[in-house]
Amino acid sequence: MLPEEFLQRMQSQLGTEYEAFRGALEGERHRALRVNPLKGGLGPSEARKRFLALSPWRLEPVPWEENGFYYTQEGPGKHPYHEAGVYYIQEPSAMAVAAFLGAQPGERVLDLCAAPGGKTTQIAGAMQGRGLLVSNEIHPQRARILSENVERLGIRNALVLNELPQRLAEVFPDWFDRILVDAPCSGEGMLRKNENAGEEWSAENVVNCARRQDGILDCAAAMLRPGGRLVYSTCTFAPSENEGSVGRLLQRHPEMTVLDPARCLPEGALPAHWGFAPGRSDWATGAAVPELSRTLRLWPHRLRGEGHYLAVLQKDGVSPGRAGSLGGTEKGLSEKDCREYLEFAADTLTNPPQGIFLRFGEQLYLAPVDMPALRGLHVLRPGLHLGALKKNRFEPSHALALALGSGEAQRLCPVSLSGERQGDMPGAADYLGGATFPFAGEKGWYLVTVDGYSLGWGKLAAGIMKNHYPKGLRKM
């Protein structure tokens, strides 16, 4: 049931398009996945080609994301490729946002409201493991889900935080090259996708969300360096949360300018067939504000996706150089303090990932160089989790396995997509279920792979492969 007050407002907004809009909300939603360009050690274009050659599903491109593909059959969420982080299941309209952010390798990028991780993982693919991606989520449980998705997709350069935006603004003034604010909103654009969204909608919540968005955007503006780019997005149709939020930001922060979104794409044009519509300032302000017509609305009756809104903004000025965080940078451990890991790496890896070592209890992480000081921040994941430093030994993490390409491990244990053993090759379902199995080879740690994609660890001793797939993830 769609709220009557919501429908009346939408009829007033859309006029002659209202019936088409209403029909779209009552129709089938579109499902899509996005190929992870970090997986397989091949580079973005080759990773995409390889997945398309292996995919068991009929796929159709999402026009605004080169790694995005519509699917219609059931199964991608339960496939071994999903457990290996080969792709991320994501609503197709949501894929547009990171494309306009345009994150580049080597930059400092902040995803301020990042859970569950769809846009963070998309940004990470664009950064190709270089630079620092700070992914923050204010709600603890959602922050844990974000951290799990960062791990599953093998992201090495992400700092996952559970912090208030106001706290981050204190620590990182004028610091980030690019910031994404995918703001908490009333969720009107998800009414077709989420059956309960209609029951949860209220006009009061729209007002509360708009007020909350103002505070979040103020923090983002403070953290963006001069010349940096901010992308604001929501999944709602409410003008007060869309054009209204951007318009109020411009009033409070005259240093912010709305960019022409077409100029933010590599091709320098916004294809008409995508179905994107310009923002409507008159819906929010009662007057025509030229800057707000450069924002974008994604309507479910104009394209194959749910409702979304986005605006691309730039902070005036030129940064004189990279600002430091107020606490400085992490110095990292010396190699002698990581002896057990280095011995493991020499025996098991061909090309160990590079960075600085950080230790939390017995857990060892690899962080990007110039990682900002973490003291006083609520950190869930400070880079790539390497594993645990035990007494006189090292136990590798599942995160390290998922971050490696098959060419980065000295010993491999391939498993088949089949649920059963194929000759000498164990089945992926057996491995994901936690089974041990006979295997021929020298003793030691093995990277378990499916079709060349890393899936987890196994440890061989006396001809038996001990299963190190995490117990909490096992599929029985």
Side-chain angles (χ1 to χ4, degrees), residues 2 19 44 48 99 111 129 138 150 153 209 276 298 319 432 445:
L2 298 175
E19 291 302 326
R48 182 170 58 254
D111 187 356
I138 188 174
V150 165
L153 270 73
C209 287
F276 293 6
L298 283 65
S319 178
L432 294 174
W445 289 98

Side-chain angles (χ1 to χ4, degrees), residues 55-60 69-73:
S55 170
W57 308 286
R58 293 190 302 273
L59 301 174
E60 185 177 346
F69 297 90
Y70 295 102
Y71 68 88
T72 55
Q73 306 99 309

Side-chain angles (χ1 to χ4, degrees), residues 106-109 127 129-134 155-160 175 322 328-332 353-358 365-374 381-385:
E107 291 184 325
R108 296 169 173 174
V109 182
M127 295 178 72
R130 302 193 294 278
L132 176 66
L133 171 57
V134 179
I155 298 169
R156 304 183 182 192
N157 62 324
L159 167 61
V160 180
W175 204 79
R322 284 208 155 181
T329 58
E330 291 287 345
K331 303 305 179 187
Q354 300 298 305
I356 61 171
F357 297 112
L358 301 177
Y365 289 81
L366 189 72
V369 176
D370 296 330
M371 169 71 81
L374 303 176
R381 185 174 296 270
L384 175 60
H385 184 202

Side-chain angles (χ1 to χ4, degrees), residues 172-352:
F172 298 109
D174 296 327
W175 204 79
F176 290 99
D177 299 302
R178 300 175 198 261
I179 298 177
L180 171 61
V181 176
D182 185 40
C185 69
S186 57
E188 295 174 357
M190 297 295 115
L191 288 171
R192 177 169 61 179
K193 181 180 177 182
N194 183 356
E195 295 180 358
N196 297 322
E199 299 175 3
E200 298 168 357
W201 183 91
S202 71
E204 180 182 7
N205 187 42
V206 171
V207 173
N208 291 336
C209 287
R211 186 180 301 117
R212 186 184 307 122
Q213 290 153 7
D214 288 348
I216 293 171
L217 281 170
D218 285 342
C219 294
M223 288 186 279
L224 189 66
R225 68 163 175 81
R229 180 181 298 182
L230 166 67
V231 171
Y232 173 73
S233 70
T234 72
C235 58
T236 189
F237 304 117
S240 60
E241 298 181 67
N242 293 339
E243 294 91 347
S245 286
V246 176
R248 295 189 299 274
L249 172 70
L250 296 176
Q251 291 176 348
R252 297 191 307 274
H253 295 275
E255 74 277 14
M256 302 298 294
T257 303
V258 180
L259 298 179
D260 177 356
R263 298 179 61 185
C264 301
L265 296 174
E267 298 80 8
L270 191 60
H273 72 269
W274 286 8
F276 293 6
R280 289 282 301 272
S281 58
D282 55 310
W283 288 343
T285 66
V289 180
E291 277 197 292
L292 296 182
S293 66
R294 294 200 289 268
T295 65
L296 295 175
R297 281 182 171 267
L298 283 65
W299 294 101
H301 62 289
R302 290 193 175 198
L303 48 74
R304 295 173 61 189
E306 306 304 323
H308 241 73
Y309 172 85
L310 67 91
V312 187
L313 301 105
Q314 182 170 292
K315 191 173 187 177
D316 293 344
V318 178
S319 178
R322 284 208 155 181
S325 67
L326 296 185
T329 58
E330 291 287 345
K331 303 305 179 187
L333 302 175
S334 66
E335 290 191 354
K336 70 177 182 179
D337 294 322
C338 311
R339 175 180 55 81
E340 295 88 349
Y341 164 73
L342 294 174
E343 291 174 354
F344 160 85
D347 177 69
T348 309
L349 307 180
T350 60
N351 184 27

